[in-house]
Amino acid sequence: MAQIVTIDPVTRIEGHLRIDVEVEDGVVKDAWSSGTMFRGIEMLLKDKHPWDAQQVTERICGVCPLVHGTASSYNLDDAMGVELPDNARLIRNLCLGANFIQSHILHFYHLAALDYVDVTAVLNYAGNNPGLKALKGKIAGLAKANDLYPFMPRYESDDYVSDPEVATTLVGHYVEALEARKKAQEMLSIFYGRMPSFVGTIPGGVTVQPTVSNIAAFRSRLAELRFWIDNVYVQDIMTVAGVPAYSIFFTAGDSGGNYLAYGGFDENSQGTEKFLPSGYILANGVSAVKTFDEQQIIESVKHSWYTEDCEGRQPSDGKTDPDLEKDGAYSFLKAPRYEGKPMEVGPMARMLVLAGLELSGKIPENKQLLVPLIKQLGLDAKVTELVTAGKFGILPRHAMRALECKLLADQMDVWLDQLKPGEPIWDPKGKDIPSDSQGMGLVEGPRGALGHWITISGKKIANYQCVVPTTWNASPRDKEGNRGPIETSLLGLPVPDPENPINVVRCVRSFDPCLACAIHVIHPEHNGVKEFRVV
Amino acid sequence: MEEKGVTRRQFIKYAGATAALLGLSQALVPEIARALEEMAASGKPPVLWIQGQNCTGCSVSFLNTNYPDAAEVVLDKLSVRYQPTVMAAAGYQAFGVIEDTAKELAGKYVLVVEGPIPTAEGGEFCTFGLEEGTKDLLGNKVPKDKPIEVWMEQLVPGAAAVIALGNCASFGGIPAANAEVTGTTAVLDVVKKIDKDKPVINVSGCPSHPDWFIGTVLYYLLNGKVPELDRYNRPTMFFGKLIHENCERRASFDAGLFLEDWNDNNPDMKLCLFKMGCKGPVTYADCPTRRWNSAVNWCVGANAPCHGCAEPAFYKDLSPLYEPLPDINFMGINNAETLGWIAAGATAAGIVGHYLYKQLGKKAPEGGEE
């Protein structure tokens, strides 16, 4: 008999998320995701000074403020017609890259790993590593005091990694990862002042000149992190992926085969070349990456709490006319669609687009990054198998995130070399607010494709809009009845014990959802919000 | 202690770090060590850390703590029972922990609230966990979402103390700029309605500095009482002094050397950010000396203005963030250059701070002036 399993709160994500799944005969038959917190960030920006937008929008999310602040800077640059100096472009890349590193490490170790590793297995550790022995002592102390919070309670499952040696090593890395991600934030604060809520990017450029000393301070931390990513993060992903019980997760959790990347990390001042390229993939056609065109984005509200008049609009023409009584609606998120289709965004989308461009020869061999790395790690057979099967599930999502982290960290070293102390960091045009103007800033964040749009009128913000990654991934059904990527990914997952739906949270967390980003909107019943769109 | 994997040497080092964090003399290290030992013997205080209209920035900032590190705090010093960003449990298991703790440890747990409480529309703007109710989904009856406002009513009475973590929990912050829609209410105001005598500590800042939060918790644990608070319920040990008084660029302000073009910015000049909208003259926090991210940098250190994120006026009443503070017009002096020349010395800085506070429609915190 079918039963509904409600998971609220979904913890170890950013924000407030509720997931409902219908379980029948131990398998997920259907799924719904909804966000449960609202603030109204876009709305409160109306009539404010345009420069405030970065400081306000970066506070949409405390885990990935960099991506909002950066999107906002590009958006304002565009509205003010600035020419971004190379130093500013590079520093923005470096700081955004540092945030990718901290976010990806945080995600795997602190948000996801406890779904796979049995912390209590540490009690059986019999090795001689002094650090791990100390860790064992610590956990034993907690167990003796019957106080294993926050590691317990948890969903029980018989497939946790419980080999004492492996589990203890992974738990040790969980603790090391706290230091690694902290170091990434220190690195970022060298140019941007502090994290979270950084201050170093402004319309027209950045605030800190590159100097021999701050470049060295950045590089020394980067070197440590690159070593750690190569030797710990990437290796741990391979360890977890190698657990026989998890082999179903190579394909289970597949989001439906459509992937979208706006492209990120500008390699020239016009932003026409990106380190992570843009493109989209339909129906798992990895080797046939198509050219991204932002005009193809529309939003459906068939199952969202908005009137039919909001249906099928482009973001630039978006409308939010709420209808809380609407039949069949179950989410405050709209359902963005590209060419009418749900799209997964994030590290997997970016890496599949990159892989597709490399495999099809659109990126010449001497400039390829991902395919050589996959070969070097001995993963090529597995990747070929998945491409043939046309399914990329939970484990590939984690693995692509780790590979992206490595590629970016390596490239950051190259960007550091390109900085020129003494050269400009700011175009003063950024300070001249036009009376009327429009802007757009598209970037890639740790969780995926992000867009900011601004309309300036009378030197003030007339409208500010953000379309964020988790809106794509956690969207509800659209007018064709197509589920959002997270909903689709849950279908068919085994849930043998509805009291312990561990596989559901494993799958949801693999997307690294950010609900504060997705629902930074306003109450739909309020009259004043109607001219604003909800994303 | 040894069985918990902590050596004597680590312990003394930890006591030393605690002293540094609280701004105490290293001569007090043995005493702190004794207090910490007593604390350890009496069991770890339970903590329930719930999230309102937050962005998780204060949780992330907490993870940036240096001494003691996050693992030490979470595993050795506190019994962190509910913390949605790090805890293993989800769903009913997770909020079941809150309910059990509230029942079993009433009067003992510390309630940390990250983010403010939206009270409009029956609290529907922020919910987590479930309470009794009905909601149609596949035609079945299921429990309904539980507003954080209801959680507050349930958890405040049994809390030993409440810590409002971050500017928005303390004062409403960014979400309060939209309070007319969501009814964003500061934690203190919600608590006062439930129990007007319940101690509430506002550890403000957007985000809160990890030292401010951990320092406050350690002070409370070591002394068994709430630290001295200013008129906004912020611990004076962290929020007692004007940023402007301690700013490394104060000399530039006094000399009238202001940054006006980010390219014209010899890093050694350390130009004053006043003209770029620095809110340091009206902001009480120890950022200039404490700095951020393991003391690597801070906002002014990155040639950017202080945005006043520890103040009740943030964000709405300090906007536009990049425009200079309201023209200073006292004693017949009305521009920054002239004022800079005259306002030498801490007393003058105190007057400036006090004056600007009045301009922003509020009084200076007690003890904030020299």
Side-chain angles (χ1 to χ4, degrees):
Chain A
M1 205 187 85
Q3 85 178 92
I4 296 285
V5 177
T6 303
I7 305 173
D8 180 4
V10 177
T11 49
R12 283 183 283 125
I13 60 160
E14 198 300 315
H16 298 67
L17 175 67
R18 166 180 172 161
I19 292 281
D20 291 89
V21 289
E22 183 189 2
V23 178
E24 191 176 48
D25 301 330
V27 172
V28 175
K29 287 286 181 231
D30 212 340
W32 298 262
S33 81
S34 57
T36 63
M37 189 277 278
F38 310 85
R39 285 172 295 171
I41 299 282
E42 287 168 327
M43 187 186 184
L44 64 87
L45 278 171
K46 189 169 165 60
D47 294 331
K48 295 289 194 296
H49 191 290
W51 273 52
D52 283 6
Q54 307 158 106
Q55 285 300 314
V56 172
T57 59
E58 73 173 78
R59 288 168 164 95
I60 285 174
C61 174
V63 181
C64 46
L66 245 289
V67 61
H68 283 288
T70 305
S72 191
S73 292
Y74 280 111
N75 185 18
L76 292 162
D77 287 354
D78 187 33
M80 294 170 207
V82 306
E83 283 175 48
L84 196 65
D86 274 343
N87 273 342
R89 171 179 63 80
L90 291 163
I91 286 173
R92 283 187 189 173
N93 283 357
L94 286 163
C95 290
L96 184 56
N99 195 52
F100 266 64
I101 294 175
Q102 90 85 19
S103 183
H104 285 2
I105 291 174
L106 176 86
H107 177 259
F108 180 66
Y109 287 96
H110 308 122
L111 305 185
L114 293 177
D115 291 339
Y116 302 93
V117 181
D118 180 9
V119 173
T120 61
V122 173
L123 297 171
N124 301 322
Y125 179 70
N128 285 316
N129 181 311
L132 298 184
K133 276 168 81 175
L135 185 66
K136 178 185 172 180
K138 196 169 275 212
I139 302 286
L142 297 177
K144 195 176 169 194
N146 196 22
D147 184 358
L148 272 166
Y149 302 102
F151 297 131
M152 290 287 189
R154 64 177 180 198
Y155 287 146
E156 290 306 328
S157 175
D158 55 12
D159 65 356
Y160 282 109
V161 173
S162 56
D163 177 84
E165 191 77 28
V166 179
T168 309
T169 303
L170 288 172
V171 175
H173 291 166
Y174 174 102
V175 176
E176 272 182 31
L178 286 167
E179 291 299 304
R181 61 152 295 284
K182 184 167 85 185
K183 201 159 293 274
Q185 297 228 322
E186 288 172 20
M187 183 159 79
L188 203 160
S189 71
I190 290 168
F191 287 119
Y192 276 4
R194 70 167 178 185
M195 261 299 275
S197 301
F198 65 98
V199 291
T201 175
I202 48 173
V206 295
T207 62
V208 171
Q209 303 267 9
T211 63
V212 172
S213 93
N214 59 29
I215 291 171
F218 196 99
R219 201 191 301 274
S220 70
R221 288 175 174 82
L222 180 61
E224 283 180 56
L225 284 167
R226 288 174 68 196
F227 182 86
W228 199 84
I229 291 164
D230 286 354
N231 293 289
V232 181
Y233 180 19
V234 172
Q235 302 307 320
D236 283 348
I237 292 277
M238 311 254 279
T239 301
V240 171
V243 174
Y246 299 153
S247 60
I248 65 158
F249 297 138
F250 279 106
T251 53
D254 168 71
S255 73
N258 303 326
Y259 303 93
L260 172 66
Y262 294 166
F265 298 95
D266 290 0
E267 290 283 30
N268 61 11
S269 52
Q270 299 79 36
T272 49
E273 278 179 43
K274 313 264 188 197
F275 175 66
L276 297 176
S278 73
Y280 70 102
I281 290 167
L282 293 179
N284 282 305
V286 173
S287 55
V289 176
K290 299 169 193 293
T291 307
F292 165 65
D293 168 16
E294 89 230 11
Q295 298 297 317
Q296 298 304 316
I297 300 171
I298 56 106
E299 290 182 299
S300 176
V301 296
K302 177 78 177 166
H303 296 278
S304 313
W305 285 305
Y306 308 106
T307 62
E308 282 305 314
D309 192 35
C310 309
E311 176 66 36
R313 290 170 175 263
Q314 289 187 343
S316 52
D317 182 39
K319 188 171 178 183
T320 296
D321 195 3
D323 178 5
L324 266 187
E325 305 302 316
K326 186 168 162 183
D327 282 344
Y330 63 94
S331 180
F332 281 104
L333 274 69
K334 290 184 179 178
R337 296 293 184 258
Y338 188 88
E339 289 185 355
K341 296 184 172 58
M343 309 296 282
E344 176 174 346
V345 299
M348 185 131 91
R350 289 189 291 258
M351 290 300 101
L352 287 178
V353 164
L354 179 60
L357 293 171
E358 291 184 356
L359 289 169
S360 61
K362 289 194 177 134
I363 294 175
E365 207 160 319
N366 61 354
K367 286 193 169 176
Q368 291 184 4
L369 300 165
L370 184 57
V371 169
L373 176 62
I374 285 170
K375 280 190 186 140
Q376 187 194 330
L377 292 168
L379 298 172
D380 34 344
K382 192 74 201 173
V383 171
T384 308
E385 184 191 316
L386 294 176
V387 171
T388 311
K391 276 185 182 290
F392 297 88
I394 294 170
L395 286 176
R397 210 167 277 126
H398 284 296
M400 295 298 188
R401 192 173 282 115
L403 297 188
E404 174 177 85
C405 191
K406 184 209 162 24
L407 292 179
L408 256 177
D410 290 353
Q411 181 65 18
M412 285 163 67
D413 206 52
V414 176
W415 290 326
L416 273 179
D417 285 337
Q418 295 170 357
L419 285 172
K420 295 198 175 97
E423 301 268 308
I425 55 168
W426 184 57
D427 179 353
K429 236 174 140 182
K431 197 80 175 160
D432 300 332
I433 314 294
S435 297
D436 298 282
S437 184
Q438 291 198 310
M440 176 178 81
L442 298 183
V443 300
E444 288 287 341
R447 283 84 183 258
L450 171 69
H452 279 210
W453 286 263
I454 190 171
T455 304
I456 297 172
S457 179
K459 294 183 184 286
K460 289 179 173 175
I461 298 175
N463 196 1
Y464 202 96
Q465 307 178 350
C466 315
V467 178
V468 307
T470 297
T471 319
W472 285 98
N473 287 339
S475 67
R477 288 152 173 76
D478 58 30
K479 81 173 166 37
E480 307 297 332
N482 293 317
R483 293 174 184 83
I486 288 181
E487 290 177 341
T488 299
S489 71
L490 292 168
L491 302 182
L493 275 183
V495 180
D497 174 10
E499 295 287 305
N500 290 287
I502 177 80
N503 290 340
V504 174
V505 289
R506 279 171 174 162
C507 183
V508 172
R509 288 188 182 117
S510 73
F511 285 88
D512 194 4
C514 178
L515 271 291
C517 289
I519 310 176
H520 50 279
V521 287
I522 47 264
H523 192 268
E525 285 182 338
H526 191 271
N527 295 334
V529 310
K530 290 190 177 174
E531 72 265 35
F532 285 87
R533 46 186 301 284
V534 174
V535 294
Chain B
M1 194 179 358
E2 301 286 338
E3 74 189 21
K4 286 190 181 178
V6 182
T7 64
R8 184 77 204 163
R9 223 175 112 215
Q10 282 171 319
F11 193 74
I12 294 297
K13 187 180 146 210
Y14 175 72
T18 304
L21 182 65
L22 298 175
L24 302 173
S25 158
Q26 291 293 310
L28 292 172
V29 166
E31 240 174 85
I32 291 172
R34 256 197 304 282
L36 286 170
E37 273 178 310
E38 279 171 26
M39 219 169 82
S42 63
K44 300 188 296 180
V47 172
L48 296 175
W49 178 327
I50 61 175
Q51 296 178 337
Q53 280 180 305
N54 75 321
C55 74
T56 314
C58 290
S59 290
V60 170
S61 189
F62 164 73
L63 293 177
N64 289 341
T65 170
N66 212 9
Y67 290 109
D69 68 39
E72 246 176 271
V73 176
V74 171
L75 300 180
D76 300 344
K77 295 292 159 287
L78 304 173
S79 175
V80 182
R81 300 191 170 216
Y82 185 90
Q83 209 296 351
T85 312
V86 304
M87 69 191 300
Y92 73 91
Q93 243 181 13
F95 70 82
V97 169
I98 307 186
E99 286 170 346
D100 293 347
T101 305
K103 256 184 246 152
E104 292 159 19
L105 296 164
K108 294 190 176 135
Y109 58 86
V110 176
L111 180 64
V112 177
V113 187
E114 179 182 356
I117 313 299
T119 56
E121 308 285 342
E124 280 179 27
F125 290 108
C126 178
T127 65
F128 65 93
L130 302 167
E131 60 177 346
E132 284 184 17
T134 56
K135 186 178 179 184
D136 280 332
L137 196 64
L138 282 196
N140 297 326
K141 286 191 171 180
V142 291
K144 72 180 179 73
D145 297 326
K146 183 167 177 176
I148 187 166
E149 199 184 1
V150 176
W151 282 113
M152 289 294 282
E153 284 159 13
Q154 186 178 339
L155 296 177
V156 166
V162 179
I163 295 180
L165 184 58
N167 182 285
C168 63
S170 299
F171 309 121
I174 296 230
N178 208 26
E180 67 274 19
V181 176
T182 64
T184 296
T185 308
V187 168
L188 179 77
D189 296 332
V190 172
V191 172
K192 287 296 159 220
K193 277 188 199 158
I194 300 165
D195 177 356
K196 65 180 171 45
D197 298 322
K198 189 69 64 184
V200 176
I201 308 169
N202 284 333
V203 182
S204 72
C206 186
S208 161
H209 195 296
D211 289 2
W212 299 340
F213 171 59
I214 294 166
T216 299
V217 172
L218 287 177
Y219 182 95
Y220 180 74
L221 297 179
L222 286 170
N223 299 287
K225 60 174 188 184
V226 169
E228 186 196 2
L229 304 177
D230 71 7
R231 63 183 292 128
Y232 300 117
N233 278 36
R234 297 176 297 192
T236 52
M237 59 185 170
F238 303 120
F239 301 96
K241 284 188 177 152
L242 264 185
I243 287 200
H244 191 63
E245 278 177 35
N246 293 290
C247 182
E248 65 203 22
R249 302 195 180 191
R250 177 55 194 271
S252 294
F253 177 84
D254 292 344
L257 298 171
F258 297 100
L259 188 144
E260 292 180 68
D261 175 346
W262 271 283
N263 292 316
D264 175 28
N265 165 25
N266 180 333
D268 297 330
M269 285 287 286
K270 300 210 178 293
L271 299 171
C272 173
L273 274 302
F274 186 88
K275 286 189 169 179
M276 292 307 190
C278 188
K279 308 295 187 272
V282 294
T283 303
Y284 286 81
D286 64 6
C287 304
T289 45
R290 189 169 300 281
R291 300 161 71 92
W292 286 74
N293 302 94
S294 316
V296 166
N297 210 345
W298 66 299
C299 299
V300 173
N303 290 320
C306 164
H307 293 309
C309 74
E311 287 300 310
F314 183 82
Y315 150 76
K316 205 174 169 184
D317 296 331
L318 290 177
S319 169
L321 296 175
Y322 289 89
E323 293 294 320
L325 282 164
D327 278 347
I328 299 163
N329 186 1
F330 87 116
M331 297 193 301
I333 301 152
N334 64 0
N335 68 66
E337 281 94 341
T338 322
L339 190 79
W341 284 102
I342 291 178
T347 306
I351 294 167
V352 173
H354 184 81
Y355 186 76
L356 289 167
Y357 249 83
K358 282 174 76 177
Q359 288 238 346
L360 289 166
K362 53 181 72 71
K363 290 176 184 170
E366 282 156 7
E369 297 169 47
E370 299 227 5

